[in-house]
Amino acid sequence: MFLFESDDELEELHSDLDSESECSLDEEEYVPGGLARGSDQDDFSDEDSSDEEWASKPKRKVSRKRCCSVSASPVSSPLKSPSRKQEVSPCRKKLRYASTPKKDTSTPNSGKTLSSPQGKNKSCKPAEKKVVIEEEDDVDGDRWCNIDEEDVEPLQPRFRPDRDVGPQLNRTANYTPLELFQLFFSMTVINTLVKNTNAYGKNKYQGQKESWVPVTTADMYSFICLVLYMGIVPLKTLKEFWRGSKLFSLPFPASVMPCRRFLAISRSLHMNDPAVEMANEQNKGTSGYDRLCKIKPLYGQILEACYTFFHPYQHISIDERMVASKARISFKQYIKSKPTKWGFKLFVLADSSCGYTLNFFVYVGREGVSSGKGVSYDAVMRLLKIPFLGKGYKLYTDNFYTSPTLSLDLLQRKIWCVGTLRSNVAGYPRTKRNAMPEKTPRGTLRWIRKGQLLFVKWLDTREVTMCSTLHKAYSNEMVKRKVKDADGQWRVKEVPVPGCIKDYNQHMGGVDLSDALISYYNVLHKTHKWYKTLFYHFVDIATVNAFILHKGMCKLQNRPMLKQKNFREQLIVALAEIGSTPRRSGPQNFMLPASPFKVPPASPSIVPANAAPCPSAEVPDAPGAGHLPAYFVEQMTNVAPKDRATAGRRACVVCKRKSPVYCSTCQKTLCFTTLRNCYSEWHRDNRICV
């Protein structure tokens, strides 16, 4: 209520109210439904409804306050009006109604001028400002389109690789598994491993009772041979491969390398020079410190071989890979959604058709100069820095990498991108006009095109969001899904599917295919050093890539291709042949059948008439001839004199005790001592000697 001190002030107030009401009624009109009328439409645009403009008109603001507080009926004095509250409340209700219009009455032109339900009435600027703010989302004109609305199909890329796709080898030659594996573990790589392993082993064994025996190139091939063999025949511990019990009678490892020698090389294995590693440790805590210094030489050589000997086809994909490890290192990662939750995270670029690993790098955290567009953006750009890649490639990524910024930047490099998208990423359409309702049937589709970017929402078991620079919204493609009908029964029904989702499901699995090929015969085993874990993974990558090259060459030459297990078996045998010979005879020869030694016939000689006949001359093929005992130590080198009596002992085939003697013809380990003569007993039982 307004209180006035004198009648003069009251009369002055009435005169001001009359003049202000006439002015305000002439200025503004209200139309139901938020439609604009008259010549004052532009007065309620976003620019004219600013706070500064209202602040510049204090008199109109004061008059509006008074207008809303005084009844529209002519009264002599507001103090004596008994029905003042009843007359004011309808005006307030109308103002609230005008400030919150119904959703059904909204039109594209709403948000400019608002009108009251009753012709001419007073205006309330704060209510108008509130409505304009509510409808700001629709001013840009974005709207989710339905499946029946036609989309413009973008121009399809023309594939122009810099080299012929597939293996970059002599396409008429027949490569063996060993030759393909040596493309990745070349003589340069082997010599680097031998040099650095010897340098570290010499320092490690210095001052110990056992001296370090230098590793040779043949020893390194034998070591890699056994590493691959352990992927085909996995056991819990390394020493079990050399056990001689009935449960663990594996003759092949002992025929390639003794257990002690293998463990010595495994403990001293090094990929970088120890002097370089010590110099790098001095830089710890500074920008010059390299976290991957221990794997750097081999790391770069494997990467170079990966993109040198194979050129990808048109469809490529990028994803993460986890290498299992629980080493205490700062860049070890934990990803809850992965099957391998703890380990080293690798960003991998792979060919979608065959799973060939083209490029990869180990993630050690934020390093180097960042682009400011996120880790995923930098990872994609780093993986695509492959020489002689070409143009017209179709890249598939998941929602960790996909963004409108990345898609547009790749398009400038003539690489088209398709991938799932997170709804909170920058550049994603925020409009809710014609959005997908909460309860909608399976196969419902919504899409928006913004220039060269297509955003698609598709409902399968859950809502899937895609971003593509390659596809149109819908190309009349269908997919079969199980849908529950009104009776509660599951039936197979065809539902529409966008082309980008169908291509994504077909070509996104390049890295997953590579992971599967590695996991079948994974050579990784427990180790105390984190860099050895990555060394074993490099062996896996080289073997799988060599196998994919073998399949590609067989397809080009129309030859039958090997399965991966057979490919690895041939590779293991070939590595064993070029490897070092063990310091004892190969146990795989012990299982060969006996082949009696044939004594060559004696030369004819003159025998005196009265001389007694010689039994050996009369019967040159006597049983037991040529079965002479021999010692295992005779075939060994670098054996100390004190160890020659027991070196190379094996279990006797008769009494199962250790013996250093074997039959040179039967290849059987037999005791031949003063206490046990299993040698004679076994030959009599087998009717070899009488």
Side-chain angles (χ1 to χ4, degrees):
M1 296 178 65
F2 296 97
L3 300 178
F4 306 98
E5 295 180 358
S6 65
D7 294 335
D8 297 336
E9 291 180 3
L10 182 60
E11 290 177 2
E12 186 179 353
L13 172 65
H14 278 294
S15 62
D16 291 342
L17 287 174
D18 293 338
S19 61
E20 283 294 324
S21 61
E22 290 176 3
C23 183
S24 62
L25 289 175
D26 292 335
E27 283 177 357
E28 302 165 358
E29 286 186 342
Y30 285 84
V31 179
L35 298 176
R37 282 194 312 185
S39 60
D40 298 327
Q41 295 181 13
D42 299 333
D43 295 341
F44 299 95
S45 61
D46 294 340
E47 294 85 359
D48 295 338
S49 59
S50 62
D51 294 334
E52 295 152 355
E53 191 170 338
W54 293 114
S56 64
K57 300 178 182 179
K59 290 185 179 180
R60 294 185 63 184
K61 186 173 181 183
V62 173
S63 66
R64 253 184 211 93
K65 278 188 179 180
R66 293 174 179 174
C67 176
C68 293
S69 61
V70 179
S71 173
S73 60
V75 291
S76 60
S77 175
L79 300 176
K80 298 180 181 180
S81 175
S83 61
R84 187 167 175 270
K85 289 185 179 180
Q86 298 177 0
E87 293 173 355
V88 171
S89 60
C91 179
R92 289 181 178 173
K93 287 183 180 179
K94 292 173 184 177
L95 290 174
R96 291 194 191 101
Y97 172 78
S99 64
T100 57
K102 294 182 179 180
K103 294 181 180 179
D104 299 337
T105 60
S106 63
T107 62
N109 296 328
S110 62
K112 293 184 179 180
T113 305
L114 302 175
S115 57
S116 72
Q118 298 178 353
K120 294 183 178 181
N121 202 349
K122 292 95 183 169
S123 62
C124 188
K125 288 290 181 180
E128 296 162 5
K129 187 176 181 181
K130 179 179 179 182
V131 178
V132 171
I133 292 174
E134 286 179 355
E135 298 190 1
E136 273 181 357
D137 293 339
D138 296 341
V139 172
D140 56 357
D142 285 343
R143 172 180 169 274
W144 289 101
C145 302
N146 297 324
I147 189 174
D148 53 352
E149 299 182 50
E150 190 64 25
D151 183 25
V152 179
E153 184 174 3
L155 294 175
Q156 295 302 304
R158 198 180 101 185
F159 187 42
R160 291 177 292 171
D162 289 349
R163 301 182 296 178
D164 293 336
V165 295
Q168 302 300 305
L169 303 172
N170 184 1
R171 303 200 171 186
T172 60
N174 186 8
Y175 291 89
T176 63
L178 177 61
E179 292 172 343
L180 294 175
F181 181 78
Q182 286 179 331
L183 295 175
F184 302 91
F185 276 79
S186 60
M187 284 302 300
T188 304
V189 176
I190 297 297
N191 291 334
T192 303
L193 290 173
V194 169
K195 175 185 173 182
N196 297 328
T197 300
N198 283 329
Y200 180 79
K202 185 177 180 180
N203 296 334
K204 181 179 180 181
Y205 282 83
Q206 191 173 7
Q208 296 187 9
K209 186 180 291 186
E210 185 178 359
S211 62
W212 170 253
V213 180
V215 179
T216 62
T217 303
D219 290 338
M220 190 58 64
Y221 277 123
S222 296
F223 176 78
I224 297 175
C225 166
L226 290 179
V227 167
L228 291 171
Y229 176 79
M230 292 171 183
I232 294 181
V233 188
L235 295 176
K236 285 295 182 182
T237 61
L238 295 179
K239 291 185 177 180
E240 290 177 351
F241 288 94
W242 284 269
R243 286 180 61 182
S245 63
K246 292 183 179 180
L247 291 177
F248 302 96
S249 57
L250 299 173
F252 181 77
S255 68
V256 176
M257 181 177 285
C259 179
R260 288 186 179 180
R261 184 62 172 164
F262 179 86
L263 294 178
I265 296 176
S266 178
R267 290 166 186 156
S268 303
L269 182 67
H270 250 61
M271 289 166 274
N272 204 348
D273 191 358
V276 176
E277 294 178 0
M278 291 181 63
N280 183 63
E281 288 295 325
Q282 301 297 327
N283 298 328
K284 198 167 186 178
T286 65
S287 59
Y289 179 69
D290 186 4
R291 296 185 181 182
L292 301 177
C293 177
K294 290 183 178 292
I295 65 170
K296 232 15 177 316
L298 179 62
Y299 182 29
Q301 290 164 347
I302 294 292
L303 275 179
E304 183 180 358
C306 284
Y307 58 72
T308 299
F309 297 108
F310 185 87
H311 198 85
Y313 297 91
Q314 189 174 15
H315 300 278
I316 54 179
S317 60
I318 290 178
D319 205 353
E320 308 100 48
R321 174 186 294 165
M322 292 294 291
V323 181
S325 176
K326 289 192 176 180
R328 296 181 178 179
I329 194 72
S330 60
F331 53 86
K332 179 182 63 177
Q333 299 287 317
Y334 174 78
I335 302 180
K336 185 178 180 180
S337 60
K338 293 287 185 180
T340 303
K341 296 181 174 16
W342 288 97
F344 303 116
K345 183 166 76 171
L346 277 67
F347 291 104
V348 183
L349 171 66
D351 186 272
S352 299
S353 59
C354 60
Y356 185 93
T357 301
L358 293 163
N359 196 5
F360 66 93
F361 69 91
V362 183
Y363 178 68
V364 295
R366 296 180 182 272
E367 59 177 356
V369 180
S370 176
S371 65
K373 300 179 181 180
V375 176
S376 58
Y377 180 93
D378 296 339
V380 173
M381 291 302 181
R382 179 176 175 180
L383 289 173
L384 291 175
K385 284 183 180 179
I386 300 178
F388 38 79
L389 181 63
K391 300 177 181 179
Y393 278 92
K394 300 178 182 179
L395 175 66
Y396 298 85
T397 58
D398 62 12
N399 57 14
F400 178 75
Y401 307 93
T402 311
S403 66
T405 304
L406 175 66
S407 300
L408 292 175
D409 290 352
L410 289 178
L411 200 58
Q412 294 179 357
R413 299 180 55 181
K414 303 301 180 183
I415 297 176
W416 280 253
C417 182
V418 183
T420 55
L421 186 68
R422 297 177 182 177
S423 59
N424 59 352
V425 72
Y428 181 79
R430 304 297 179 187
T431 182
K432 295 183 179 179
R433 295 179 58 191
N434 196 28
M436 193 177 296
E438 293 183 1
K439 293 184 178 180
T440 184
R442 198 169 188 175
T444 305
L445 187 147
R446 296 287 189 274
W447 62 272
I448 287 181
R449 177 168 292 280
K450 283 190 170 184
Q452 295 173 316
L453 295 177
L454 173 68
F455 300 93
V456 176
K457 283 184 179 181
W458 184 62
L459 185 66
D460 196 17
T461 53
R462 60 182 181 85
E463 187 177 293
V464 182
T465 308
M466 302 287 296
C467 178
S468 174
T469 57
L470 179 67
H471 298 85
K472 63 183 296 187
Y474 181 60
S475 304
N476 299 321
E477 294 179 311
M478 308 294 286
V479 67
K480 292 183 179 180
R481 291 289 186 269
K482 286 186 177 181
V483 181
K484 186 181 288 186
D485 56 10
D487 300 335
Q489 301 294 328
W490 289 95
R491 302 183 186 279
V492 177
K493 180 183 176 181
E494 287 191 345
V495 297
V497 60
C500 57
I501 292 181
K502 198 168 183 179
D503 288 348
Y504 179 85
N505 291 336
Q506 181 179 357
H507 301 293
M508 179 57 197
V511 179
D512 295 336
L513 177 57
S514 177
D515 293 345
L517 292 173
I518 290 174
S519 64
Y520 293 149
Y521 307 103
N522 190 2
V523 304
L524 180 64
H525 52 262
K526 290 184 179 179
T527 176
H528 293 288
K529 303 296 183 180
W530 64 268
Y531 53 87
K532 295 179 185 176
T533 299
L534 292 175
F535 168 78
Y536 295 134
H537 185 65
F538 294 159
V539 174
D540 277 329
I541 291 176
T543 308
V544 170
N545 280 0
F547 171 65
I548 295 173
L549 289 176
H550 162 75
K551 292 200 303 181
M553 294 297 295
C554 290
K555 190 179 294 183
L556 291 172
Q557 299 172 0
N558 294 323
R559 292 189 293 110
M561 60 185 66
L562 297 173
K563 293 184 178 179
Q564 186 182 181
K565 186 172 183 296
N566 297 332
F567 179 87
R568 286 179 178 254
E569 289 174 354
Q570 293 187 15
L571 175 60
I572 291 169
V573 172
L575 287 171
E577 290 176 355
I578 65 173
S580 58
T581 56
R583 290 189 287 180
R584 58 186 176 193
S585 60
Q588 75 275 13
N589 297 329
F590 291 0
M591 306 304 295
L592 294 176
S595 55
F597 178 75
K598 300 291 185 180
V599 180
S603 58
S605 58
I606 301 174
V607 181
N610 57 353
C614 178
S616 60
E618 294 177 358
V619 188
D621 294 340
H627 289 259
L628 300 177
Y631 288 89
F632 290 115
V633 74
E634 295 174 358
Q635 302 180 7
M636 298 182 184
T637 58
N638 299 328
V639 180
K642 63 178 181 178
D643 298 331
R644 292 185 66 84
T646 57
R649 293 189 304 170
R650 289 192 171 276
C652 175
V653 297
V654 178
C655 66
K656 306 303 180 185
R657 297 184 181 182
K658 295 289 185 178
S659 174
V661 181
Y662 70 100
C663 177
S664 59
T665 302
C666 303
Q667 298 292 321
K668 297 292 182 181
T669 305
L670 297 164
C671 296
F672 193 61
T673 64
T674 57
L675 299 177
R676 300 185 307 278
N677 193 357
C678 301
Y679 188 89
S680 300
E681 181 182 349
W682 187 85
H683 283 81
R684 283 195 214 96
D685 293 342
N686 290 276
R687 298 181 180 181
I688 295 177
C689 62
V690 293

